[in-house]
Amino acid sequence: NLPKKVELILGNEIYIETYTNLIEQEKIESVEKLINKKIKKLERKDVESKFLIERAKVAKGNIALLVSGDPLIATTHVALLVDAKNAKIETKIINNSSIYTAAPGKAGLQMYKFGKTASIPTPRENYNPTSWFDIIKENLGHGAHTLVLLDTEPKPMDAKLALELIEKTDNNKILNNKKLVIVSRVGERNEKISYGAIESLKKASLGKPPFAIIVPGKLHQLEEEYLEGCTR
């Protein structure tokens, strides 16, 4: 019954965006086989334009946009819903799990103890903001954990590059004696959770992208026991 149910929800035109999170081609192909329909990749400019709205106006039946994780975590998708509402186009959202809950859970950390989320952008010519580190410092000041997301453009950032950027930005060396959590490919068979000081993590095998980093704040005893005993 699954393919029929999926067909009713998705309709005839099915698109996917892979810029907010990496989705491997083989996974896209496996979904195509499951629903017996072709999935068309959309570039970021297409998702952020009126393309899907215009298609929805003229398409026969439903059209769908597939994303990785919870679709409403990315502001791009929220903007798309606003555009659809203004155009009087009915929408249906199918929620999913998100790195915002999956990463803390895999690390054994309590969700309510997290502060603001930080995002490290890939340095570019004349563009290398460091405001993300201010968020880490602010959270540490409150004893809160920080989920650090890594840029996905032009390709998913490697965890070791992110660690180098953290070291370079940490002028006061406030993370010198801190242990960080690196999560790799959460939810996949080859996921990897690593815990340690920056220097040791830089020498370790951390897995493959996509990555996220957690900077723990004040740890509860149970959190600390889990990190020390259950990470690898």
Side-chain angles (χ1 to χ4, degrees):
N1 294 330
L2 179 60
K4 186 63 177 177
K5 185 182 290 187
V6 171
E7 182 179 344
L8 289 172
I9 295 172
L10 297 183
N12 296 320
E13 293 186 28
I14 307 172
Y15 301 95
I16 191 167
E17 63 88 346
T18 60
Y19 68 86
T20 53
N21 193 24
L22 176 68
I23 307 175
E24 296 165 341
Q25 182 61 32
E26 63 185 61
K27 285 195 171 183
I28 298 174
E29 292 171 359
S30 69
V31 175
E32 288 178 327
K33 289 178 182 178
L34 176 66
I35 63 176
N36 196 30
K37 289 181 181 292
K38 186 68 178 175
I39 299 174
K40 302 174 184 176
K41 276 190 180 182
L42 286 186
E43 300 293 332
R44 181 169 189 164
K45 60 182 177 61
D46 296 317
V47 180
E48 293 180 344
S49 71
K50 300 296 183 182
F51 173 78
L52 289 169
I53 300 298
E54 295 304 318
R55 288 306 309 152
K57 289 178 180 178
V58 300
K60 295 181 180 179
N62 296 334
I63 70 168
L65 175 65
L66 306 182
V67 303
S68 176
D70 192 314
L72 298 188
I73 292 299
T75 53
T76 296
H77 307 139
V78 175
L80 182 60
L81 289 178
V82 172
D83 290 341
K85 183 177 181 179
N86 291 337
K88 294 181 170 42
I89 295 170
E90 184 179 350
T91 59
K92 179 176 178 60
I93 302 129
I94 301 175
N95 293 98
N96 195 3
S97 59
S98 166
I99 192 66
Y100 280 90
T101 53
K106 290 289 185 177
L109 297 173
Q110 298 166 11
M111 189 67 215
Y112 67 87
K113 292 178 63 179
F114 277 75
K116 297 177 184 177
T117 301
S119 298
I120 302 180
T122 302
R124 301 169 176 83
E125 186 176 359
N126 300 321
Y127 180 74
N128 187 22
T130 58
S131 53
W132 51 268
F133 196 79
D134 294 331
I135 294 174
I136 295 174
K137 287 193 296 183
E138 180 182 347
N139 287 341
L140 286 174
H142 298 299
H145 310 318
T146 307
L147 175 63
V148 183
L149 304 178
L150 308 185
D151 204 347
T152 59
E153 295 184 302
K155 63 179 181 179
M157 183 185 291
D158 187 80
K160 292 189 178 181
L161 171 59
L163 291 174
E164 290 174 6
L165 293 172
I166 289 173
E167 276 191 315
K168 185 177 180 180
T169 311
D170 186 10
N171 296 321
N172 294 322
K173 309 300 179 186
I174 63 173
L175 299 183
N176 256 13
N177 299 315
K178 290 285 294 181
K179 290 184 177 181
L180 309 186
V181 182
I182 308 289
V183 297
S184 161
R185 299 182 66 80
V186 172
E188 299 289 349
R189 291 182 181 178
N190 60 341
E191 74 175 12
K192 189 174 180 63
I193 317 295
S194 305
Y195 179 57
I198 291 178
E199 281 305 315
S200 64
L201 289 171
K202 285 167 60 178
K203 299 172 184 175
S205 174
L206 300 177
K208 297 181 179 180
F211 293 99
I213 296 175
I214 298 175
V215 180
K218 186 177 180 180
L219 290 169
H220 183 277
Q221 182 181 348
L222 186 60
E223 292 178 308
E224 190 167 10
E225 287 180 5
Y226 184 93
L227 282 170
E228 294 290 354
C230 299
T231 53
R232 52 196 184 278

